[in-house]
């Protein structure tokens, strides 16, 4: 039996634009998905998922099952979750050159599904790591990130960047621009997260931005401007050691700008906007949605308790919490 965990993430800057080759800076946070893999001799895949912010479910299938599991959860979320586990196991079989390997897989996660905190990437990264190690093969984090990206790419019909999977595998703050991914230095950033209890449909939201971008030159410019914000944000992070600078306030201004542009691209929602404004009114340095949008989470910067408290009293906000930067990516548990 092998157990691995991998962190979720927030986007400090750059979601959506990263799909078109602009840079993005996601940061891993201390909320983890834990995956346990145990070999089975019958070649089947048995999956238990107890805490994916959906009702718990257990599914037995061979990967080719025509019958849908009889569980009381949204079909699309269930299919998405199963799709990632399936794709992760396929990558592990390939990496270990064991095409017929069967597994019993248990997933526990404190990252809400589809909420913009990188739950699918964390499950995929931890799943590949646990299943390959269970087969006696140890992959370097870079290879894990690459295989997890390929798994996500397949499940998301080719609409995935390397950002989520690289960040989850490596931990810390990372910079992603196309295939160029690396860790960058970052100070301790005071993240506060608000969650509306919902989930956006990443595929649909990415497709919506693609259509706008193809139809209107100014939408394409908006995507490019998000890239400019990311570059400015990187400069602020790199200068954060300078005692004369006000790096948190500068990051906050850039986050506000980034949120406005995401809103104009149609990926925000009433509840996300309400949480963003509640955070700003409470004195946060800045706030923006994180991830694909449509529902899910916002991220704000505040060293005090004010934003977290204000979010807890904001209609539409189901949960608010502080999140530390996770300096460690995927790890053996
Ligand atoms: C989803 O977490 C982030 C998007 O930029 C899609 C991606 O990068 O794969 C919307």
């Amino acid at each position: 039996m092998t157990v691995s965990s991998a962190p979720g993430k927030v986007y400090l800057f750059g979601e959506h634009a990263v799909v078109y080759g602009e840079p993005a800076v996601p940061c891993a946070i201390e909320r983890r998905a834990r995956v346990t893999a145990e070999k089975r001799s019958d070649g089947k895949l048995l999956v238990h998922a107890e805490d994916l912010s959906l009702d718990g479910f257990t599914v037995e299938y061979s990967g080719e099952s025509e019958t849908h599991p009889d569980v009381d959860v949204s079909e699309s979320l269930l299919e998405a979750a199963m799709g990632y586990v399936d794709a992760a196991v396929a990558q592990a079989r390939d990496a270990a050159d064991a095409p017929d390997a069967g597994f019993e897989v248990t997933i526990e996660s404190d990252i809400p599904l589809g909420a913009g905190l990188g739950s699918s990437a964390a499950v995929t990264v931890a799943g590949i790591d646990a299943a390959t190690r269970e087969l006696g093969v140890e992959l370097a984090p870079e290879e894990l990130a690459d295989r997890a990206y390929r798994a996500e790419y397949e499940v998301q019909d080719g609409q995935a960047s390397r950002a989520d999977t690289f960040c989850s595998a490596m931990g810390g703050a990372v910079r992603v621009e196309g295939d160029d991914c690396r860790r960058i230095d970052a100070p301790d950033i005071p993240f506060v997260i608000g969650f509306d209890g919902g989930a956006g449909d990443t595929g649909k939201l990415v497709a919506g931005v693609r259509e706008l971008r193809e139809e209107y030159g100014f939408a394409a410019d908006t995507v490019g401007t998000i890239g400019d914000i990311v570059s400015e944000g990187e400069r602020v992070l790199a200068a954060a050691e300078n005692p004369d600078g006000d790096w948190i306030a500068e990051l906050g201004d850039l986050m506000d700008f980034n949120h406005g542009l995401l809103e104009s691209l149609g990926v925000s929602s009433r509840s996300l906007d309400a949480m963003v404004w509640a955070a700003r009114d409470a004195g946060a340095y800045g706030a923006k949605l994180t991830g694909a949008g449509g529902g899910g989470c916002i991220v704000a910067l505040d060293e005090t308790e004010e934003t977290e408290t204000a979010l807890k009293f904001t209609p539409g906000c189901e949960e608010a919490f502080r999140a530390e930067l996770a300096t460690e990516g995927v790890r053996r548990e």
Side-chain angles (χ1 to χ4, degrees), residues 53-59 69-75 77-78:
S53 291
L54 349 127
D55 300 337
F57 65 85
T58 301
V59 184
D70 180 20
V71 285
D72 182 23
V73 293
S74 133
E75 184 113 328
L77 274 183
L78 179 68

Side-chain angles (χ1 to χ4, degrees), residues 25-297:
V25 177
C27 298
I29 54 165
E30 267 315 332
R31 283 236 157 179
R32 288 183 169 261
R34 270 166 296 280
V35 177
T36 306
E38 190 161 11
K39 269 189 286 193
R40 279 171 71 99
S41 52
D42 60 5
K44 282 191 175 180
L45 179 57
L46 175 67
V47 183
H48 309 274
E50 289 302 333
D51 189 7
L52 292 175
S53 291
L54 349 127
D55 300 337
F57 65 85
T58 301
V59 184
E60 182 161 9
Y61 78 130
S62 61
E64 300 281 317
S65 166
E66 293 102 42
T67 50
H68 284 294
D70 180 20
V71 285
D72 182 23
V73 293
S74 133
E75 184 113 328
S76 58
L77 274 183
L78 179 68
E79 272 175 13
M82 293 310 294
Y84 291 111
V85 177
D86 223 2
V89 165
Q91 285 295 334
R93 286 175 174 145
D94 182 63
D97 199 14
D100 301 323
F103 293 97
E104 183 154 350
V105 172
T106 303
I107 305 165
E108 295 158 272
S109 174
D110 42 40
I111 314 166
L113 261 193
L117 299 183
S119 55
S120 56
V123 166
T124 308
V125 167
I128 298 175
D129 190 56
T132 45
R133 287 199 296 109
E134 177 71 3
L135 295 173
V137 174
E138 192 116 359
L139 301 178
E142 289 79 2
E143 183 175 354
L144 259 177
D146 184 55
R147 286 190 174 274
Y149 162 66
R150 285 191 261 152
E152 273 215 334
Y153 188 87
E154 190 187 302
V155 180
Q156 291 173 202
D157 291 330
Q159 311 211 71
S161 72
R162 292 182 178 271
D164 292 24
T165 39
F166 186 79
C167 187
S168 189
M170 306 303 290
V174 306
R175 179 191 196 274
V176 174
E177 185 173 5
D179 290 343
D180 177 28
C181 307
R182 56 194 149 89
R183 261 187 81 140
I184 56 175
D185 289 338
D188 201 6
I189 306 172
F191 294 123
V192 182
I193 291 167
F195 175 38
D196 71 3
D201 181 330
T202 302
K204 269 197 194 142
L205 290 151
V206 171
V209 173
R210 185 179 300 280
E211 277 164 30
L212 276 180
R213 195 174 161 270
E214 280 164 8
E215 191 168 351
Y216 301 113
F218 51 80
D221 292 345
T222 302
V223 168
T225 306
I226 292 177
D228 296 341
I229 291 175
V230 179
S231 304
E232 194 59 38
E234 281 178 71
R235 276 191 284 280
V236 174
L237 283 176
E241 297 291 295
N242 180 352
D244 298 331
D246 197 356
W247 64 270
I248 307 185
E250 285 181 59
L251 282 187
D253 288 346
L254 294 170
M255 287 168 74
D256 285 341
F257 217 121
N258 195 162
H259 180 77
L261 297 180
L262 288 167
E263 211 278 325
S264 71
L265 290 171
V267 298
S268 193
S269 71
R270 246 173 229 278
S271 54
L272 293 175
D273 287 343
M275 292 191 288
V276 161
W277 278 105
R280 290 174 183 163
D281 288 346
Y285 290 100
K288 62 183 278 294
L289 68 82
T290 173
C297 290

